[in-house]
Amino acid sequence: MTLPYRAPWWAGNAHIQTILPALIPVSMPAYQRERWDTPDDDFIDLDWVNKNLLTQPNQRLIILFHGLEGSSKSTYAKTLMNACAKNGFTGVVVHWRSCSGTMNRQAVFYHSGFSGEIDWVLRRFATLYPEAARHAAGVSLGGNALLKWLGEQSEQAQDIIKSAVAICSPHDLKAGSIALANGFNQRVYMRNFLHTLKTKALQKHNEHPHIAIDINLLRRAQNFNDFDNAITAPLHGYRDAEDYWRRASSKPFLKTIAIPTLVLNALNDPFIPAHSLAKAKETSPAVQLEYLEHGGHVGFLYGHTRPNLNWMPKRVLQFFQNSTP
């Protein structure tokens, strides 16, 4: 039975549901950090909980790919990893390059279509822990990249992970970029994203002065159209922002997903217009669309009067447990 969701009666506003969860104290999981070298002479950092339990047969391993400029310190990562620890599962947060607190070595960063990174990471987990019951979750940007990978791999994904969940992931990157370029979204969320993204990009330019980015456009960027034209597209092999948004959006890949996959979104997400979300006819039978009236962007405040953040991790783990024997 699906775990029902109910937002607090006083938290009907999408921005309250998006912002308040980040202000609620959540204890830091007892992370154990590990660094992996990448195939292109770079590195990624992973933060584990209950890694020692992987010696047990059929241990459940929950692999999380975080969102834009997130990390293992993000509220949603802490709540999910704490839930893994509480339930005796092994959890791991895979940091995108530059997001673990240390700048990566190569010129590339990460982006919404970085499914090649997901491919080698998940295949390595499968090689290292073949006896574990492996599941993958992605949040926002991480969810988009995970859905893209699932569609690209189709039946081949069955040998790598058991099931997947995408949480508040965009299905149409252009629609999301437009939504974040106006009004309150631009003044608050977009400004916050660009603050760290620009800082990193300028550092990257100083360390790799040969890279072909538009430094002037980067400095004056006010939205994702500017930023993606200035650095994301040229760094990662796209013609421009429009080409990146079209080729990296997850919606066209949903029809070829072959493993049980939950696509969880809130219809009042200020980052993702409801009209841009995939319809059932645009997905494969393996995909379960779960669109909630409320929840904001990765907020999912739960309860009646006193809110908590327990619903999302419970729903994710419920899906993983129900999708496998």
Side-chain angles (χ1 to χ4, degrees):
M1 181 178 178
T2 299
L3 185 68
Y5 173 74
R6 181 182 64 190
W9 62 268
W10 48 265
N13 182 275
H15 298 300
I16 290 177
Q17 294 178 5
T18 299
I19 296 171
L20 185 57
L23 304 178
I24 296 176
V26 176
S27 61
M28 187 68 71
Y31 286 130
Q32 176 185 349
R33 176 153 291 192
E34 181 179 9
R35 178 164 291 185
W36 284 0
D37 291 325
T38 69
D40 61 342
D41 192 32
D42 209 334
F43 68 88
I44 60 168
D45 288 327
L46 301 88
D47 281 350
W48 292 86
V49 296
N50 285 346
K51 185 183 180 185
N52 60 303
L53 298 183
L54 283 171
T55 57
Q56 300 180 3
N58 298 315
Q59 172 68 4
R60 204 175 293 273
L61 170 58
I62 312 301
I63 304 158
L64 176 64
F65 296 94
H66 62 78
L68 180 66
E69 292 301 276
S71 72
S72 62
K73 296 180 180 179
S74 297
T75 297
Y76 55 79
K78 291 189 292 184
T79 59
L80 182 57
M81 292 298 108
N82 280 332
C84 286
K86 180 180 178 181
N87 286 276
F89 304 150
T90 299
V92 60
V93 181
V94 180
H95 287 96
W96 296 112
R97 304 187 193 199
S98 81
C99 291
S100 64
T102 305
M103 181 61 73
N104 65 303
R105 291 191 289 263
Q106 296 293 342
V108 297
F109 279 118
Y110 66 101
H111 57 87
S112 293
F114 212 17
S115 53
E117 188 91 328
I118 286 180
D119 186 63
W120 82 263
V121 167
L122 291 182
R123 289 179 186 276
R124 181 164 180 176
F125 280 123
T127 299
L128 292 174
Y129 309 107
E131 301 304 318
R134 300 175 301 278
H135 308 267
V139 172
S140 197
L141 174 149
N144 183 90
L146 178 60
L147 291 173
K148 180 173 179 283
W149 177 82
L150 289 165
E152 290 170 341
Q153 297 300 313
S154 194
E155 288 84 3
Q156 295 182 47
Q158 296 171 346
D159 297 326
I160 303 171
I161 58 173
K162 300 292 187 182
S163 61
V165 176
I167 305 158
C168 292
S169 61
H171 303 168
D172 179 338
L173 294 175
K174 182 174 182 178
S177 297
I178 292 172
L180 281 165
N182 297 286
F184 183 88
N185 285 356
Q186 195 280 331
R187 293 192 303 273
V188 177
Y189 307 123
M190 189 78 258
R191 184 175 296 177
N192 183 60
F193 283 137
L194 287 177
H195 173 71
T196 58
L197 286 170
K198 283 185 178 183
T199 300
K200 286 183 179 180
L202 290 171
Q203 180 181 343
K204 188 68 68 175
H205 175 70
N206 290 334
E207 294 174 354
H208 301 270
H210 63 283
I211 58 178
I213 67 173
D214 188 334
I215 196 68
N216 293 322
L217 178 57
L218 173 64
R219 288 195 172 105
R220 66 173 187 269
Q222 296 296 313
N223 50 52
F224 280 140
N225 184 66
D226 296 340
F227 185 83
D228 290 338
N229 272 317
I231 189 165
T232 308
L235 267 190
H236 301 105
Y238 298 100
R239 185 180 64 253
D240 54 22
E242 290 275 351
D243 182 49
Y244 161 53
W245 297 338
R246 179 180 59 82
R247 290 166 54 193
S249 290
S250 62
K251 187 182 289 186
F253 297 92
L254 300 179
K255 270 192 172 296
T256 51
I257 293 176
I259 68 167
T261 300
L262 174 65
V263 175
L264 178 64
N265 288 84
L267 295 175
N268 72 340
D269 188 331
F271 293 17
I272 304 170
H275 69 79
S276 69
L277 295 174
K279 309 296 190 295
K281 64 182 180 181
E282 297 175 293
T283 72
S284 80
V287 174
Q288 178 180 331
L289 301 178
E290 190 168 319
Y291 296 159
L292 307 175
E293 289 296 323
H294 299 280
H297 187 71
V298 204
F300 301 114
L301 284 170
Y302 181 68
H304 184 61
T305 301
R306 294 174 62 87
N308 65 69
L309 301 175
N310 297 333
W311 184 86
M312 185 275 287
K314 285 182 178 179
R315 180 68 187 104
V316 171
L317 296 184
Q318 179 193 54
F319 181 80
F320 287 152
Q321 290 173 286
N322 291 344
S323 62
T324 54

